């Protein structure tokens, strides 16, 4: 029971590590997901192909494999960055493919006529997408994006295996110090619960404010 | 035929896969002219209307607006579309924006007007279609007829050279049709160039300069409304008119 009180600073560091990974990766995933979905519905064929390849490759690769590819692969091409940055890259890119597809399903809920109306008024593809289609698409995909980011928070545990400071990794320290493994994990689980419930609450609030009132 | 054509289609052909929906269409619409397109469903009249601002591409033939051929894609096409207003059967208002924002959006994005200037112009147009009091509402809070009048105001806000109406009253309850037709009649009186796909024979009789009758992807008749309704030449038109006028 005193595993928490004795090691508060270790837990706290781990917790902060997880929060940091989650926040940065989420931002990267949202930005990339937004860019990729714009590619996927673009009138230019080469962009559509790029978007499709991005989603197909990243969504279908096991995340652990992706971590290996990024952390061990990129340095071979001379790209050496802190492990934490690599972890954010891997998590962010991986999750961006899910965000992209969630956004795309949202785009499909916006009646095509509204896009036609915007185009008939002389708006360009980018204006139509940003002012008419995506704001409405976003409203209908708040819940699935919330789920995706919750999954991201939990997936960030993989980074611990690559010596990035985060919550799950703290169990190694605890077990070396001989603490009861059950309680160690219980507190870790609670830490994740705090992060994921915070994401849930945030998205609940977003949905309340922005969600579609049909 | 039109003396000073604003919209001109020559030898236009359009296919959906195997289906030949527009067959060698020649049509000229003069400046200030109101042309009503009628015909049985599947005759290609909506498609014809949509090709004029290139919402539908065509496989062959030329379409010119004010003497210039329609651009392929990109910025030039967007500029051209701003010159041709379009009103759809299903209104297609932007559901997440208020009535005022619907009318102002493209003025700001396309015409580069300042927000307050655009809003002022939008209010004037809403006044004209009798909806100024509804400026702050969302489309879902309006009736179909009101939504369609907002859609007309939205198209007019771009100060288009011509207006295309693709069955503007077909999705409306009968008691709302007239309020939309009244706005259209006023536009016609003001000298707007209009291409109107409709089943409203009353509107065709009262406001059209010409009636174009389409069947199976061809223009079968192209005549003054009174002549067409009282003395249709083709069997196809006689058959069509007998079906819609006797019920």
């Amino acid at each position: 029971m005193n595993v928490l009180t004795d090691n508060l600073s270790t837990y706290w560091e781990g917790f902060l590590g997880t929060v940091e990974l989650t926040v940065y990766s989420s931002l990267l995933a949202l930005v990339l997901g937004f860019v990729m979905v714009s590619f996927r519905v673009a009138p230019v064929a080469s962009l559509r192909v790029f978007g499709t390849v991005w989603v197909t490759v990243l969504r279908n690769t096991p995340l652990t494999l992706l971590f290996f590819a990024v952390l061990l692969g990129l340095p071979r091409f001379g790209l050496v960055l802190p492990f934490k940055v690599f972890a954010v890259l891997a998590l962010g890119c991986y999750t961006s493919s899910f965000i992209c597809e969630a956004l795309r399903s949202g785009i499909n809920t916006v009646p095509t006529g509204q896009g036609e109306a915007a185009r008939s008024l002389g708006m360009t593809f980018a204006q139509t997408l940003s002012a008419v289609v995506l704001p409405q698409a976003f409203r209908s995909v708040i819940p699935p994006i919330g789920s995706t980011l919750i999954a991201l928070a939990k997936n960030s545990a993989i980074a611990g295996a690559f010596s990035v400071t985060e919550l799950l990794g703290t169990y190694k320290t605890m077990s070396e110090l001989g603490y009861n493994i059950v309680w160690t994990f219980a507190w870790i689980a609670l830490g994740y619960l705090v992060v994921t419930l915070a994401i849930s609450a945030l998205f609940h609030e977003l949905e309340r404010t922005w969600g579609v009132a049909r | 035929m039109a003396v000073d054509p604003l919209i001109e289609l020559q030898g236009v052909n359009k296919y959906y896969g195997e289906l030949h929906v527009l067959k060698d269409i020649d049509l000229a619409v003069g400046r200030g002219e109101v042309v009503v397109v009628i015909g049985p469903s599947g005759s290609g009249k909506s498609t014809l209307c949509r090709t004029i601002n290139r919402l539908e591409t065509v496989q062959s033939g030329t379409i010119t607006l004010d003497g210039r051929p329609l651009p392929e894609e990109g910025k030039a096409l967007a500029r051209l579309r701003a010159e041709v207003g379009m009103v759809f059967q299903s209104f297609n208002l932007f559901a997440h924006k208020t009535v005022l924002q619907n009318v102002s959006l493209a003025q700001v994005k396309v015409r580069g007007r300042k927000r307050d200037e655009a809003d002022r112009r939008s209010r004037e147009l809403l006044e004209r279609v009798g909806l100024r009091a509804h400026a702050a509402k969302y489309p879902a809070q309006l009736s179909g007829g009101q939504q369609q009048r907002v859609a007309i105001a939205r198209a007019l806000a771009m100060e288009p050279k011509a207006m295309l109406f693709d069955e503007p009253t077909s999705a409306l309850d009968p008691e709302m049709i007239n309020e939309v037709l009244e706005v259209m009649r006023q536009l016609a009186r003001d000298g707007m160039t209009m291409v109107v796909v409709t089943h409203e024979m009353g509107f065709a009789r009262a406001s059209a300069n010409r009636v174009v009758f389409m069947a199976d992807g061809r223009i079968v008749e192209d005549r003054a409304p009174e002549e067409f309704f009282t003395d249709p030449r083709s069997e196809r038109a006689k058959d069509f008119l007998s079906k819609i006028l006797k019920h």
Side-chain angles (χ1 to χ4, degrees), chain B residues 89-126:
Chain B
Q89 182 177 350
S90 48
F91 329 132
N92 295 343
L93 293 181
F94 309 134
H96 64 308
K97 298 207 174 276
T98 64
V99 165
L100 187 71
Q101 288 167 337
N102 262 278
V103 185
S104 290
L105 182 69
Q107 295 184 62
V108 174
K109 297 269 176 196
V110 179
R111 292 289 190 229
R113 287 183 192 144
K114 294 227 165 45
R115 168 77 55 198
D116 51 343
E117 187 196 335
D119 283 349
R120 195 165 55 239
R121 169 123 187 93
S122 301
R123 286 206 176 81
E124 282 168 23
L125 285 162
L126 288 172

mmCIF file of all heavy atoms in Angstrom, chain B residues 89-126:
data_model
loop_
_atom_site.group_PDB
_atom_site.id
_atom_site.type_symbol
_atom_site.label_atom_id
_atom_site.label_comp_id
_atom_site.label_asym_id
_atom_site.label_seq_id
_atom_site.Cartn_x
_atom_site.Cartn_y
_atom_site.Cartn_z
ATOM 1 N N GLN B 89 -32.641 21.893 -55.789
ATOM 2 C CA GLN B 89 -33.902 21.315 -55.306
ATOM 3 C C GLN B 89 -33.889 21.150 -53.791
ATOM 4 O O GLN B 89 -34.874 21.434 -53.120
ATOM 5 C CB GLN B 89 -34.107 19.952 -55.975
ATOM 6 C CG GLN B 89 -35.398 19.278 -55.580
ATOM 7 C CD GLN B 89 -35.605 17.962 -56.326
ATOM 8 O OE1 GLN B 89 -34.883 17.646 -57.265
ATOM 9 N NE2 GLN B 89 -36.598 17.217 -55.907
ATOM 10 N N SER B 90 -32.742 20.723 -53.254
ATOM 11 C CA SER B 90 -32.683 20.428 -51.821
ATOM 12 C C SER B 90 -32.065 21.577 -51.009
ATOM 13 O O SER B 90 -31.500 21.353 -49.955
ATOM 14 C CB SER B 90 -31.901 19.142 -51.604
ATOM 15 O OG SER B 90 -30.702 19.179 -52.342
ATOM 16 N N PHE B 91 -32.165 22.774 -51.496
ATOM 17 C CA PHE B 91 -31.736 24.035 -50.839
ATOM 18 C C PHE B 91 -30.227 24.094 -50.583
ATOM 19 O O PHE B 91 -29.588 25.093 -50.887
ATOM 20 C CB PHE B 91 -32.486 24.315 -49.533
ATOM 21 C CG PHE B 91 -33.902 23.812 -49.481
ATOM 22 C CD1 PHE B 91 -34.360 23.084 -48.394
ATOM 23 C CD2 PHE B 91 -34.777 24.035 -50.536
ATOM 24 C CE1 PHE B 91 -35.667 22.607 -48.355
ATOM 25 C CE2 PHE B 91 -36.087 23.559 -50.508
ATOM 26 C CZ PHE B 91 -36.527 22.837 -49.414
ATOM 27 N N ASN B 92 -29.714 23.034 -49.928
ATOM 28 C CA ASN B 92 -28.276 22.959 -49.646
ATOM 29 C C ASN B 92 -27.716 24.149 -48.879
ATOM 30 O O ASN B 92 -26.609 24.603 -49.140
ATOM 31 C CB ASN B 92 -27.485 22.796 -50.957
ATOM 32 C CG ASN B 92 -27.787 21.493 -51.639
ATOM 33 O OD1 ASN B 92 -28.320 20.576 -51.013
ATOM 34 N ND2 ASN B 92 -27.477 21.390 -52.912
ATOM 35 N N LEU B 93 -28.469 24.631 -47.912
ATOM 36 C CA LEU B 93 -27.907 25.671 -47.047
ATOM 37 C C LEU B 93 -26.861 25.033 -46.139
ATOM 38 O O LEU B 93 -26.924 23.838 -45.856
ATOM 39 C CB LEU B 93 -29.017 26.306 -46.197
ATOM 40 C CG LEU B 93 -30.052 27.114 -46.975
ATOM 41 C CD1 LEU B 93 -31.068 27.713 -46.013
ATOM 42 C CD2 LEU B 93 -29.400 28.227 -47.791
ATOM 43 N N PHE B 94 -25.894 25.851 -45.691
ATOM 44 C CA PHE B 94 -24.861 25.340 -44.793
ATOM 45 C C PHE B 94 -25.489 25.188 -43.410
ATOM 46 O O PHE B 94 -25.821 26.172 -42.755
ATOM 47 C CB PHE B 94 -23.669 26.288 -44.762
ATOM 48 C CG PHE B 94 -23.157 26.637 -46.137
ATOM 49 C CD1 PHE B 94 -22.853 27.935 -46.482
ATOM 50 C CD2 PHE B 94 -22.997 25.639 -47.098
ATOM 51 C CE1 PHE B 94 -22.386 28.245 -47.759
ATOM 52 C CE2 PHE B 94 -22.537 25.938 -48.379
ATOM 53 C CZ PHE B 94 -22.232 27.250 -48.699
ATOM 54 N N ALA B 95 -25.614 23.943 -42.961
ATOM 55 C CA ALA B 95 -26.413 23.645 -41.775
ATOM 56 C C ALA B 95 -25.822 24.227 -40.495
ATOM 57 O O ALA B 95 -26.540 24.474 -39.534
ATOM 58 C CB ALA B 95 -26.585 22.137 -41.635
ATOM 59 N N HIS B 96 -24.499 24.450 -40.481
ATOM 60 C CA HIS B 96 -23.858 24.904 -39.240
ATOM 61 C C HIS B 96 -23.774 26.417 -39.171
ATOM 62 O O HIS B 96 -23.188 26.951 -38.239
ATOM 63 C CB HIS B 96 -22.472 24.278 -39.129
ATOM 64 C CG HIS B 96 -21.532 24.721 -40.212
ATOM 65 N ND1 HIS B 96 -21.859 24.652 -41.551
ATOM 66 C CD2 HIS B 96 -20.290 25.238 -40.164
ATOM 67 C CE1 HIS B 96 -20.846 25.110 -42.265
ATOM 68 N NE2 HIS B 96 -19.889 25.474 -41.446
ATOM 69 N N LYS B 97 -24.336 27.107 -40.158
ATOM 70 C CA LYS B 97 -24.244 28.562 -40.156
ATOM 71 C C LYS B 97 -25.638 29.179 -40.116
ATOM 72 O O LYS B 97 -26.597 28.589 -40.597
ATOM 73 C CB LYS B 97 -23.493 29.037 -41.407
ATOM 74 C CG LYS B 97 -22.066 28.521 -41.456
ATOM 75 C CD LYS B 97 -21.168 29.443 -42.236
ATOM 76 C CE LYS B 97 -19.726 29.021 -42.163
ATOM 77 N NZ LYS B 97 -19.037 29.523 -40.962
ATOM 78 N N THR B 98 -25.715 30.384 -39.538
ATOM 79 C CA THR B 98 -27.004 31.064 -39.495
ATOM 80 C C THR B 98 -27.375 31.526 -40.900
ATOM 81 O O THR B 98 -26.562 31.488 -41.821
ATOM 82 C CB THR B 98 -26.954 32.305 -38.589
ATOM 83 O OG1 THR B 98 -26.034 33.243 -39.157
ATOM 84 C CG2 THR B 98 -26.513 31.962 -37.175
ATOM 85 N N VAL B 99 -28.620 31.970 -41.031
ATOM 86 C CA VAL B 99 -29.106 32.480 -42.304
ATOM 87 C C VAL B 99 -28.182 33.594 -42.809
ATOM 88 O O VAL B 99 -27.738 33.585 -43.961
ATOM 89 C CB VAL B 99 -30.555 32.982 -42.135
ATOM 90 C CG1 VAL B 99 -30.981 33.845 -43.302
ATOM 91 C CG2 VAL B 99 -31.497 31.789 -41.979
ATOM 92 N N LEU B 100 -27.870 34.525 -41.921
ATOM 93 C CA LEU B 100 -27.008 35.653 -42.310
ATOM 94 C C LEU B 100 -25.631 35.161 -42.761
ATOM 95 O O LEU B 100 -25.105 35.588 -43.792
ATOM 96 C CB LEU B 100 -26.871 36.642 -41.145
ATOM 97 C CG LEU B 100 -26.138 37.933 -41.479
ATOM 98 C CD1 LEU B 100 -26.984 38.819 -42.375
ATOM 99 C CD2 LEU B 100 -25.766 38.700 -40.211
ATOM 100 N N GLN B 101 -25.064 34.231 -41.983
ATOM 101 C CA GLN B 101 -23.735 33.694 -42.327
ATOM 102 C C GLN B 101 -23.765 32.938 -43.654
ATOM 103 O O GLN B 101 -22.807 32.986 -44.422
ATOM 104 C CB GLN B 101 -23.234 32.766 -41.217
ATOM 105 C CG GLN B 101 -22.830 33.509 -39.955
ATOM 106 C CD GLN B 101 -22.635 32.560 -38.769
ATOM 107 O OE1 GLN B 101 -23.174 31.458 -38.747
ATOM 108 N NE2 GLN B 101 -21.883 32.996 -37.790
ATOM 109 N N ASN B 102 -24.876 32.249 -43.913
ATOM 110 C CA ASN B 102 -25.018 31.545 -45.178
ATOM 111 C C ASN B 102 -24.889 32.501 -46.353
ATOM 112 O O ASN B 102 -24.236 32.207 -47.346
ATOM 113 C CB ASN B 102 -26.386 30.846 -45.254
ATOM 114 C CG ASN B 102 -26.306 29.380 -44.895
ATOM 115 O OD1 ASN B 102 -25.958 28.560 -45.724
ATOM 116 N ND2 ASN B 102 -26.612 29.065 -43.640
ATOM 117 N N VAL B 103 -25.535 33.669 -46.217
ATOM 118 C CA VAL B 103 -25.539 34.629 -47.319
ATOM 119 C C VAL B 103 -24.206 35.367 -47.400
ATOM 120 O O VAL B 103 -23.750 35.741 -48.472
ATOM 121 C CB VAL B 103 -26.735 35.606 -47.171
ATOM 122 C CG1 VAL B 103 -26.823 36.536 -48.373
ATOM 123 C CG2 VAL B 103 -28.039 34.833 -47.024
ATOM 124 N N SER B 104 -23.555 35.554 -46.256
ATOM 125 C CA SER B 104 -22.324 36.353 -46.231
ATOM 126 C C SER B 104 -21.065 35.547 -46.566
ATOM 127 O O SER B 104 -20.087 36.115 -47.058
ATOM 128 C CB SER B 104 -22.127 36.975 -44.836
ATOM 129 O OG SER B 104 -23.097 37.969 -44.618
ATOM 130 N N LEU B 105 -21.087 34.249 -46.287
ATOM 131 C CA LEU B 105 -19.849 33.449 -46.361
ATOM 132 C C LEU B 105 -19.062 33.639 -47.660
ATOM 133 O O LEU B 105 -17.893 34.017 -47.636
ATOM 134 C CB LEU B 105 -20.166 31.962 -46.141
ATOM 135 C CG LEU B 105 -18.936 31.041 -46.161
ATOM 136 C CD1 LEU B 105 -18.056 31.279 -44.955
ATOM 137 C CD2 LEU B 105 -19.346 29.577 -46.214
ATOM 138 N N ALA B 106 -19.720 33.381 -48.783
ATOM 139 C CA ALA B 106 -18.979 33.436 -50.050
ATOM 140 C C ALA B 106 -18.620 34.870 -50.441
ATOM 141 O O ALA B 106 -17.626 35.096 -51.128
ATOM 142 C CB ALA B 106 -19.785 32.766 -51.163
ATOM 143 N N GLN B 107 -19.415 35.847 -49.982
ATOM 144 C CA GLN B 107 -19.055 37.240 -50.255
ATOM 145 C C GLN B 107 -17.686 37.541 -49.653
ATOM 146 O O GLN B 107 -16.861 38.225 -50.250
ATOM 147 C CB GLN B 107 -20.065 38.197 -49.624
ATOM 148 C CG GLN B 107 -21.464 38.127 -50.195
ATOM 149 C CD GLN B 107 -22.333 39.206 -49.550
ATOM 150 O OE1 GLN B 107 -22.065 40.381 -49.690
ATOM 151 N NE2 GLN B 107 -23.360 38.775 -48.843
ATOM 152 N N VAL B 108 -17.467 37.025 -48.426
ATOM 153 C CA VAL B 108 -16.193 37.258 -47.746
ATOM 154 C C VAL B 108 -15.088 36.414 -48.388
ATOM 155 O O VAL B 108 -14.019 36.913 -48.725
ATOM 156 C CB VAL B 108 -16.326 36.933 -46.240
ATOM 157 C CG1 VAL B 108 -14.975 37.033 -45.556
ATOM 158 C CG2 VAL B 108 -17.328 37.872 -45.593
ATOM 159 N N LYS B 109 -15.381 35.113 -48.578
ATOM 160 C CA LYS B 109 -14.345 34.186 -49.048
ATOM 161 C C LYS B 109 -14.001 34.404 -50.520
ATOM 162 O O LYS B 109 -12.851 34.267 -50.908
ATOM 163 C CB LYS B 109 -14.829 32.728 -48.881
ATOM 164 C CG LYS B 109 -15.069 32.317 -47.463
ATOM 165 C CD LYS B 109 -13.821 31.720 -46.851
ATOM 166 C CE LYS B 109 -14.071 31.409 -45.384
ATOM 167 N NZ LYS B 109 -12.824 31.181 -44.662
ATOM 168 N N VAL B 110 -15.006 34.685 -51.335
ATOM 169 C CA VAL B 110 -14.774 34.736 -52.783
ATOM 170 C C VAL B 110 -14.622 36.168 -53.282
ATOM 171 O O VAL B 110 -13.706 36.478 -54.025
ATOM 172 C CB VAL B 110 -15.929 34.030 -53.538
ATOM 173 C CG1 VAL B 110 -15.692 34.098 -55.041
ATOM 174 C CG2 VAL B 110 -16.047 32.590 -53.079
ATOM 175 N N ARG B 111 -15.521 37.039 -52.823
ATOM 176 C CA ARG B 111 -15.481 38.428 -53.292
ATOM 177 C C ARG B 111 -14.531 39.301 -52.466
ATOM 178 O O ARG B 111 -14.286 40.451 -52.803
ATOM 179 C CB ARG B 111 -16.888 39.040 -53.256
ATOM 180 C CG ARG B 111 -17.848 38.434 -54.265
ATOM 181 C CD ARG B 111 -17.485 38.854 -55.685
ATOM 182 N NE ARG B 111 -18.527 38.466 -56.615
ATOM 183 C CZ ARG B 111 -18.289 37.821 -57.763
ATOM 184 N NH1 ARG B 111 -17.062 37.488 -58.075
ATOM 185 N NH2 ARG B 111 -19.277 37.514 -58.564
ATOM 186 N N GLY B 112 -14.075 38.749 -51.333
ATOM 187 C CA GLY B 112 -13.130 39.494 -50.511
ATOM 188 C C GLY B 112 -13.729 40.710 -49.827
ATOM 189 O O GLY B 112 -13.028 41.654 -49.485
ATOM 190 N N ARG B 113 -15.049 40.666 -49.612
ATOM 191 C CA ARG B 113 -15.667 41.798 -48.912
ATOM 192 C C ARG B 113 -15.381 41.718 -47.427
ATOM 193 O O ARG B 113 -15.172 40.646 -46.880
ATOM 194 C CB ARG B 113 -17.188 41.779 -49.118
ATOM 195 C CG ARG B 113 -17.568 42.198 -50.511
ATOM 196 C CD ARG B 113 -19.078 42.234 -50.676
ATOM 197 N NE ARG B 113 -19.356 42.355 -52.105
ATOM 198 C CZ ARG B 113 -20.373 41.783 -52.730
ATOM 199 N NH1 ARG B 113 -21.256 41.075 -52.063
ATOM 200 N NH2 ARG B 113 -20.527 41.928 -54.022
ATOM 201 N N LYS B 114 -15.415 42.868 -46.765
ATOM 202 C CA LYS B 114 -15.285 42.893 -45.306
ATOM 203 C C LYS B 114 -16.552 42.306 -44.696
ATOM 204 O O LYS B 114 -17.629 42.440 -45.258
ATOM 205 C CB LYS B 114 -15.107 44.333 -44.821
ATOM 206 C CG LYS B 114 -13.806 44.946 -45.293
ATOM 207 C CD LYS B 114 -13.103 45.632 -44.129
ATOM 208 C CE LYS B 114 -11.664 45.931 -44.450
ATOM 209 N NZ LYS B 114 -11.460 46.507 -45.790
ATOM 210 N N ARG B 115 -16.395 41.697 -43.525
ATOM 211 C CA ARG B 115 -17.521 41.031 -42.871
ATOM 212 C C ARG B 115 -18.741 41.938 -42.716
ATOM 213 O O ARG B 115 -19.860 41.567 -43.061
ATOM 214 C CB ARG B 115 -17.060 40.492 -41.504
ATOM 215 C CG ARG B 115 -18.137 40.028 -40.557
ATOM 216 C CD ARG B 115 -18.713 38.679 -40.911
ATOM 217 N NE ARG B 115 -17.686 37.647 -41.031
ATOM 218 C CZ ARG B 115 -17.875 36.486 -41.660
ATOM 219 N NH1 ARG B 115 -19.038 36.224 -42.209
ATOM 220 N NH2 ARG B 115 -16.903 35.604 -41.718
ATOM 221 N N ASP B 116 -18.531 43.172 -42.226
ATOM 222 C CA ASP B 116 -19.710 44.020 -41.966
ATOM 223 C C ASP B 116 -20.347 44.509 -43.267
ATOM 224 O O ASP B 116 -21.564 44.647 -43.354
ATOM 225 C CB ASP B 116 -19.355 45.202 -41.039
ATOM 226 C CG ASP B 116 -18.147 45.975 -41.523
ATOM 227 O OD1 ASP B 116 -17.402 45.429 -42.360
ATOM 228 O OD2 ASP B 116 -17.954 47.118 -41.078
ATOM 229 N N GLU B 117 -19.509 44.716 -44.268
ATOM 230 C CA GLU B 117 -20.057 45.119 -45.565
ATOM 231 C C GLU B 117 -20.890 43.971 -46.149
ATOM 232 O O GLU B 117 -22.002 44.176 -46.654
ATOM 233 C CB GLU B 117 -18.882 45.452 -46.496
ATOM 234 C CG GLU B 117 -19.275 46.052 -47.819
ATOM 235 C CD GLU B 117 -18.120 45.976 -48.822
ATOM 236 O OE1 GLU B 117 -16.955 45.907 -48.385
ATOM 237 O OE2 GLU B 117 -18.406 45.984 -50.027
ATOM 238 N N ALA B 118 -20.346 42.747 -46.037
ATOM 239 C CA ALA B 118 -21.059 41.573 -46.541
ATOM 240 C C ALA B 118 -22.373 41.389 -45.789
ATOM 241 O O ALA B 118 -23.420 41.137 -46.394
ATOM 242 C CB ALA B 118 -20.191 40.331 -46.391
ATOM 243 N N ASP B 119 -22.314 41.552 -44.470
ATOM 244 C CA ASP B 119 -23.526 41.378 -43.668
ATOM 245 C C ASP B 119 -24.586 42.413 -44.035
ATOM 246 O O ASP B 119 -25.782 42.116 -44.061
ATOM 247 C CB ASP B 119 -23.199 41.475 -42.171
ATOM 248 C CG ASP B 119 -22.558 40.189 -41.649
ATOM 249 O OD1 ASP B 119 -22.566 39.191 -42.398
ATOM 250 O OD2 ASP B 119 -22.059 40.190 -40.517
ATOM 251 N N ARG B 120 -24.124 43.632 -44.322
ATOM 252 C CA ARG B 120 -25.085 44.667 -44.685
ATOM 253 C C ARG B 120 -25.798 44.286 -45.981
ATOM 254 O O ARG B 120 -27.012 44.339 -46.089
ATOM 255 C CB ARG B 120 -24.354 46.012 -44.848
ATOM 256 C CG ARG B 120 -25.286 47.209 -44.872
ATOM 257 C CD ARG B 120 -24.549 48.512 -44.670
ATOM 258 N NE ARG B 120 -23.473 48.694 -45.626
ATOM 259 C CZ ARG B 120 -22.202 48.855 -45.304
ATOM 260 N NH1 ARG B 120 -21.823 48.867 -44.036
ATOM 261 N NH2 ARG B 120 -21.279 49.019 -46.234
ATOM 262 N N ARG B 121 -24.999 43.849 -46.947
ATOM 263 C CA ARG B 121 -25.565 43.432 -48.231
ATOM 264 C C ARG B 121 -26.491 42.226 -48.038
ATOM 265 O O ARG B 121 -27.562 42.161 -48.636
ATOM 266 C CB ARG B 121 -24.416 43.101 -49.184
ATOM 267 C CG ARG B 121 -24.795 42.420 -50.431
ATOM 268 C CD ARG B 121 -24.353 43.176 -51.674
ATOM 269 N NE ARG B 121 -24.896 42.526 -52.880
ATOM 270 C CZ ARG B 121 -26.033 42.888 -53.439
ATOM 271 N NH1 ARG B 121 -26.728 43.896 -52.981
ATOM 272 N NH2 ARG B 121 -26.477 42.234 -54.499
ATOM 273 N N SER B 122 -26.084 41.300 -47.177
ATOM 274 C CA SER B 122 -26.901 40.112 -46.912
ATOM 275 C C SER B 122 -28.255 40.515 -46.348
ATOM 276 O O SER B 122 -29.294 39.957 -46.727
ATOM 277 C CB SER B 122 -26.208 39.184 -45.927
ATOM 278 O OG SER B 122 -24.969 38.778 -46.432
ATOM 279 N N ARG B 123 -28.249 41.485 -45.429
ATOM 280 C CA ARG B 123 -29.510 41.915 -44.831
ATOM 281 C C ARG B 123 -30.435 42.517 -45.886
ATOM 282 O O ARG B 123 -31.635 42.280 -45.880
ATOM 283 C CB ARG B 123 -29.248 42.916 -43.707
ATOM 284 C CG ARG B 123 -28.687 42.245 -42.463
ATOM 285 C CD ARG B 123 -29.005 43.017 -41.189
ATOM 286 N NE ARG B 123 -28.524 42.264 -40.046
ATOM 287 C CZ ARG B 123 -27.239 42.274 -39.643
ATOM 288 N NH1 ARG B 123 -26.360 43.018 -40.278
ATOM 289 N NH2 ARG B 123 -26.863 41.550 -38.619
ATOM 290 N N GLU B 124 -29.836 43.295 -46.796
ATOM 291 C CA GLU B 124 -30.641 43.873 -47.884
ATOM 292 C C GLU B 124 -31.304 42.767 -48.699
ATOM 293 O O GLU B 124 -32.491 42.840 -49.027
ATOM 294 C CB GLU B 124 -29.752 44.689 -48.831
ATOM 295 C CG GLU B 124 -29.368 46.067 -48.318
ATOM 296 C CD GLU B 124 -28.258 46.693 -49.172
ATOM 297 O OE1 GLU B 124 -28.122 46.278 -50.358
ATOM 298 O OE2 GLU B 124 -27.537 47.548 -48.647
ATOM 299 N N LEU B 125 -30.500 41.739 -49.026
ATOM 300 C CA LEU B 125 -31.036 40.655 -49.842
ATOM 301 C C LEU B 125 -32.086 39.855 -49.093
ATOM 302 O O LEU B 125 -33.089 39.431 -49.666
ATOM 303 C CB LEU B 125 -29.898 39.738 -50.300
ATOM 304 C CG LEU B 125 -29.049 40.337 -51.414
ATOM 305 C CD1 LEU B 125 -27.720 39.626 -51.532
ATOM 306 C CD2 LEU B 125 -29.800 40.265 -52.736
ATOM 307 N N LEU B 126 -31.860 39.660 -47.795
ATOM 308 C CA LEU B 126 -32.843 38.930 -46.992
ATOM 309 C C LEU B 126 -34.144 39.722 -46.921
ATOM 310 O O LEU B 126 -35.233 39.148 -46.939
ATOM 311 C CB LEU B 126 -32.288 38.647 -45.589
ATOM 312 C CG LEU B 126 -31.196 37.579 -45.547
ATOM 313 C CD1 LEU B 126 -30.564 37.504 -44.175
ATOM 314 C CD2 LEU B 126 -31.765 36.213 -45.942
#
